[in-house]
Amino acid sequence: MVFGRIRQKLKNKSSSEGTPWQRATAELERQRKEQEKLHTTKKSGMQFFLEGKKAKKKTSKHLSESAKTGNRQGYFVWYGIFLIGAIGSGFLISPYGKVKDIYVEGAEAVPEQSIIDASRLTGKLTTLGAVWNDEKINAYITNALPQVKTAEVTLRGLNDVTIHVTEHETIAYVYSDGSYYNVLENGTVADTKLKVPIGNNPIITSFEMNQNLDDLLEQYLQLTVSVQNSISEIKYTGTEENPYAITVYMNDGNEVKAILPSFAEKILYYPDIVSQLGETKGTIDLEVGVYFTPFAQSVEEGVSASADSATPTE
């Protein structure tokens, strides 16, 4: 009974595990399937890699062609610009590009022909050369004509140039030997002679072209614009005892006595002094302190002095 159970158990075990040949065959089949599965996985990865590389290559090729097209267009643009520039430059430096007409803009006090002469521009110079030598031409004009502050040369068409001028402002006139000379905002006295002054700027008279005039201009430049505009004339009235004396005639009718060293400092008080005088006109003495003498009193004193000094007739 026991032997029968043992035999049955061995039989079941043998049938479930199979014979050695069957087990070997099953093992070989399993290994074959695993190898096929591994091969398929490798093939899929390789195929994906090759397809990605192919797509990337195709995209790169497309971008390369686009870049080449853009470069060709850029080359054409730059070539066109270069060609136009070369043609224009060639014309400007050729005999056909020489200066034909010269125009002047911005000149008021200085004659236009004087500016053209000072610029040294002639028909022998090309328009391109005139523009390139702009700084040198500016130096020619400003050195020859102190009234000119700046001068700039620009093209006007193909054969013409324009000189754009900025002038120094005239702040007064010096009257000497029958002519008027501009006093410029930088303190320079221009050499140009004028028969009559232009505008309502103060007139400086009886001064010689010496240190006294330089001292006056140094003082005058310190004045405010409002005070400068209130002056009609500045006259040198110096003597041996007082070589720095000046008389200033104001537009409102008053006269001011002053001396050169303190003129700018004391004349600044003029508006306050006048506000206290009201409508009374006279002489304001600023030489030492501040003194006011009405014109009527001055006339009376003069008449009285003349009567006292008269010799009675028999």
Side-chain angles (χ1 to χ4, degrees):
M1 186 68 175
V2 175
F3 289 108
R5 291 179 181 176
I6 295 173
R7 190 181 298 114
Q8 182 65 30
K9 187 176 182 180
L10 291 174
K11 184 178 179 181
N12 293 337
K13 183 178 180 180
S14 176
S15 61
S16 61
E17 295 180 357
T19 64
W21 181 82
Q22 290 177 338
R23 290 197 299 271
T25 302
E27 181 65 20
L28 290 175
E29 182 65 20
R30 185 183 63 78
Q31 293 179 0
R32 183 182 66 79
K33 289 181 178 181
E34 289 181 355
Q35 289 179 357
E36 288 180 355
K37 185 178 180 180
L38 181 62
H39 178 71
T40 301
T41 303
K42 290 183 177 181
K43 182 178 180 182
S44 299
M46 182 62 69
Q47 184 177 3
F48 177 79
F49 174 76
L50 292 175
E51 289 177 355
K53 188 174 182 180
K54 183 178 181 181
K56 186 176 179 181
K57 185 176 182 182
K58 184 177 180 180
T59 303
S60 177
K61 182 178 180 182
H62 177 71
L63 293 175
S64 178
E65 291 178 354
S66 299
K68 289 180 179 179
T69 303
N71 289 338
R72 283 197 297 268
Q73 292 177 351
Y75 292 151
F76 285 133
V77 172
W78 283 109
Y79 179 75
I81 295 174
F82 174 78
L83 184 61
I84 294 173
I87 294 174
S89 300
F91 174 82
L92 291 174
I93 64 178
S94 69
Y96 299 100
K98 293 187 179 299
V99 175
K100 182 180 179 182
D101 293 321
I102 303 172
Y103 298 87
V104 177
E105 293 183 357
E108 295 180 2
V110 183
E112 294 184 358
Q113 189 58 48
S114 299
I115 296 173
I116 295 174
D117 294 340
S119 70
R120 304 186 187 181
L121 289 173
T122 65
K124 296 181 180 180
L125 187 65
T126 64
T127 55
L128 191 61
V131 175
W132 279 346
N133 290 279
D134 177 68
E135 294 184 1
K136 185 180 294 186
I137 294 172
N138 174 71
Y140 289 153
I141 296 174
T142 54
N143 289 336
L145 303 170
Q147 287 176 262
V148 178
K149 183 185 295 186
T150 60
E152 181 183 3
V153 181
T154 59
L155 284 176
R156 183 169 180 165
L158 294 176
N159 296 97
D160 303 332
V161 295
T162 300
I163 304 175
H164 301 272
V165 171
T166 301
E167 296 178 338
H168 284 290
E169 183 181 355
T170 297
I171 57 175
Y173 291 94
V174 174
Y175 180 76
S176 178
D177 297 331
S179 299
Y180 294 89
Y181 299 86
N182 299 75
V183 178
L184 307 179
E185 59 184 338
N186 59 356
T188 303
V189 178
D191 296 333
T192 306
K193 295 181 179 181
L194 301 175
K195 293 182 179 180
V196 293
I198 301 173
N200 297 319
N201 298 107
I203 308 298
I204 300 172
T205 61
S206 301
F207 277 85
E208 295 182 3
M209 299 293 183
N210 55 19
Q211 185 61 42
N212 283 339
L213 178 58
D214 294 337
D215 292 341
L216 172 63
L217 294 180
E218 182 180 352
Q219 293 286 315
Y220 184 78
L221 291 174
Q222 298 178 38
L223 305 181
T224 62
V225 175
S226 61
V227 174
Q228 289 180 358
N229 292 337
S230 66
I231 297 174
S232 174
E233 179 184 350
I234 302 175
K235 184 177 181 180
Y236 178 71
T237 52
T239 61
E240 291 184 2
E241 294 78 13
N242 187 5
Y244 301 111
I246 60 174
T247 300
V248 183
Y249 300 91
M250 311 302 290
N251 287 324
D252 60 7
N254 290 316
E255 295 180 8
V256 177
K257 302 290 186 180
I259 56 176
L260 287 175
S262 61
F263 170 57
E265 178 185 356
K266 291 188 175 183
I267 197 66
L268 292 178
Y269 297 102
Y270 181 78
D272 294 334
I273 296 173
V274 171
S275 65
Q276 298 178 28
L277 296 176
E279 298 297 328
T280 306
K281 304 299 179 184
T283 301
I284 302 172
D285 193 335
L286 300 178
E287 292 182 344
V288 180
V290 179
Y291 299 96
F292 176 72
T293 304
F295 287 141
Q297 182 179 340
S298 299
V299 172
E300 292 176 359
E301 290 177 353
V303 172
S304 176
S306 298
D308 292 341
S309 62
T311 304
T313 58
E314 295 181 353

